[in-house]
Amino acid sequence: MATVLKIRTKTSPAAGQSHAASSCDVSPAAKLPLGTILAGDCIAAMAAIPDDSIDMVFADPPYNLQLGGNLLRPDGSTVDAVTDDWDQFASFAAYDLFTRNWLAQARRILKPAGSLWVIGSYHNIFRVGTAIQDAGFWIMNDIVWRKSNPMPNFKGTRFTNAHETLIWAAFDEKAKYTFNYRAMKTLNDELQMRSDWLLPICSGQERLKHDGVKVHPTQKPEALLYRIMLATTRPGDVVLDPFFGTGTTGAVAKRLGREWIGCEQEARYRDAAMERIRSALPLDERAIKTMQSKRQAPRVPFGMLVEAGYIAAGTMLVDKKRRFSAFVRADGSLDAAGATGSIHAVGAQLQNAPSCNGWTFWHVMHEEGLKPIDTARQLYLLANEE
């Protein structure tokens, strides 16, 4: 159940300095406040978290949009833009200082094998990217979130802003980070997941509203956090969001069997987040298991799949381009017009190649089309996982 823990600072920040770091009287050695929204400044809140204790930090910081006046549609109506105090900074220097301070805390609490994700727009992401590298993180990818339904540019003075940028970074260059490559490939219909993600903005029933008004102007879609967590965390991992907002990170973490901690200074957002997370339904243990990479998976001989009936003896296998075919024999060996042996040896022989990965070379016909036999191996592993 989500709870709110108020972080009491020794001195209140002066007016106009709501983003400044302040000290905290909660011991950094205290037990992790799992399932808790820490109220108050995020830098002070993170100071209460023990070193090397978080598996992933997802940050959706203020974008520092620098909006001047109201933004109007062609019909004269006002666009619901971000004009809140939390997005206001006196200068780029003030924003940079704020960024470096929260990143320093994020690095301190992140495990050496953990991941950092930060999302932003052209207003801030380049400044944040520099700060990420200066802090010692190692950037793995920049992900372009292409919005399938972006807000148009009403003035017609520039291109429509149809994307935001995510930075995924490991703790350092040599970090042994988590990346569930096989799960991402499965999610993407057996194609390697690219660094441009086409997803809609948050709308419809997912968009939180109060009396018909958006609760938060920049609520992120759950699909975005779902993909991030599925890619770079494991069930039971702890995810911290220093700019929790209305709790998208917490809701998705609950669904996927991850632990979560949030930091949020706005009471109205905390209230909405708590109500939202309470109603989120977690997936059962079997549902949150994902396909494993070959390095993660235990060794499974092809004959074991034949023995268990995942690929029946007598099945005809073909390569992706249907140039070659092979008959599956009862012991798991293949017969391809006189070339006999393992899935790897026969594949290599037919191609006159020194070696062949039979798991990806050979395919079997399914209702959806050809599927690599590695799909059957992954299903076997899921079914027999402890």
Side-chain angles (χ1 to χ4, degrees):
M1 182 177 70
T3 57
V4 171
L5 176 63
K6 293 185 178 180
I7 301 298
R8 295 176 296 166
T9 55
K10 294 180 180 179
T11 57
S12 299
Q17 296 181 339
S18 61
H19 299 288
S22 50
S23 59
C24 175
D25 62 359
V26 177
S27 170
K31 184 179 179 181
L32 283 176
L34 301 178
T36 297
I37 307 174
L38 305 177
D41 176 81
C42 72
I43 300 169
M46 282 191 286
I49 304 297
D51 295 356
D52 306 332
S53 60
I54 302 299
D55 296 290
M56 187 183 89
V57 172
F58 172 81
D60 182 10
Y63 286 9
N64 192 23
L65 296 178
Q66 311 129 45
L67 294 178
N70 292 330
L71 180 61
L72 302 178
R73 296 184 178 89
D75 62 3
S77 61
T78 302
V79 176
D80 185 15
V82 182
T83 57
D84 303 79
D85 290 342
W86 49 258
D87 195 57
Q88 307 297 317
F89 292 82
S91 63
F92 284 131
Y95 185 79
D96 292 346
L97 177 61
F98 168 67
T99 299
R100 294 179 188 279
N101 284 342
W102 74 255
L103 277 172
Q105 286 294 336
R107 184 170 178 81
R108 180 187 62 77
I109 65 178
L110 196 66
K111 294 178 181 178
S115 286
L116 170 73
W117 285 83
V118 184
I119 187 170
S121 67
Y122 71 88
H123 303 87
N124 71 323
I125 198 62
F126 302 107
R127 309 187 77 87
V128 173
T130 297
I132 288 172
Q133 291 182 311
D134 289 347
F137 292 101
W138 187 258
I139 295 179
M140 304 300 300
N141 278 111
D142 64 321
I143 305 293
V144 175
W145 167 30
R146 294 194 296 126
K147 302 174 182 179
S148 57
N149 52 343
M151 180 184 295
N153 181 264
F154 294 105
K155 291 184 178 181
T157 56
R158 61 179 72 180
F159 298 109
T160 297
N161 295 323
H163 78 278
E164 293 183 30
T165 301
L166 296 111
I167 294 176
W168 170 37
F171 190 82
D172 57 33
E173 183 179 2
K174 297 181 179 179
K176 295 183 178 180
Y177 54 90
T178 295
F179 179 49
N180 300 316
Y181 168 82
R182 194 64 184 78
M184 288 295 96
K185 190 173 181 181
T186 303
L187 190 68
N188 198 38
D189 198 22
E190 294 301 327
L191 296 175
Q192 189 176 73
M193 184 72 76
R194 293 160 44 118
S195 62
D196 56 330
W197 298 353
L198 181 63
L199 297 168
I201 62 174
C202 185
S203 60
Q205 292 185 345
E206 186 182 337
R207 168 67 77 171
L208 300 187
K209 293 184 178 181
H210 181 69
D211 293 333
V213 179
K214 297 176 184 176
V215 175
H216 195 291
T218 63
Q219 181 181 333
K220 296 301 183 288
E222 291 191 7
L224 185 68
L225 272 297
Y226 188 99
R227 187 172 296 186
I228 289 170
M229 286 189 208
L230 205 63
T232 56
T233 65
R234 297 185 177 95
D237 279 358
V238 180
V239 179
L240 182 138
D241 186 337
F243 308 97
F244 202 60
T246 52
T248 301
T249 299
V252 175
K254 184 177 178 181
R255 284 176 59 198
L256 290 177
R258 277 65 168 167
E259 301 287 354
W260 63 269
I261 302 170
C263 308
E264 179 52 56
Q265 64 182 8
E266 301 290 335
R268 66 187 188 280
Y269 297 158
R270 295 196 301 270
D271 293 342
M274 288 178 63
E275 182 178 352
R276 176 186 187 183
I277 294 169
R278 287 192 190 105
S279 63
L281 297 175
L283 299 174
D284 65 32
E285 185 177 350
R286 184 177 181 183
I288 63 175
K289 293 178 181 177
T290 60
M291 302 294 254
Q292 295 177 301
S293 71
K294 297 174 182 61
R295 285 179 293 181
Q296 295 171 322
R299 185 177 181 276
V300 178
F302 179 68
M304 189 175 291
L305 300 184
V306 177
E307 181 180 57
Y310 281 76
I311 295 179
T315 300
M316 190 64 71
L317 304 182
V318 296
D319 69 301
K320 190 173 184 179
K321 296 182 179 179
R322 300 176 186 267
R323 297 167 298 171
F324 309 108
S325 61
F327 182 82
V328 178
R329 301 197 296 192
D331 62 353
S333 62
L334 302 187
D335 185 339
T340 59
S342 71
I343 57 174
H344 313 295
V346 172
Q349 186 175 346
L350 292 175
Q351 299 177 90
N352 293 317
S355 63
C356 171
N357 182 350
W359 291 110
T360 55
F361 177 75
W362 293 111
H363 290 64
V364 64
M365 180 61 71
H366 283 264
E367 292 180 359
E368 303 86 359
L370 289 179
K371 294 286 187 180
I373 59 174
D374 187 49
T375 302
R377 177 172 62 164
Q378 296 293 337
L379 292 173
Y380 176 88
L381 287 168
L382 280 176
N384 292 277
E385 191 171 294
E386 293 294 335

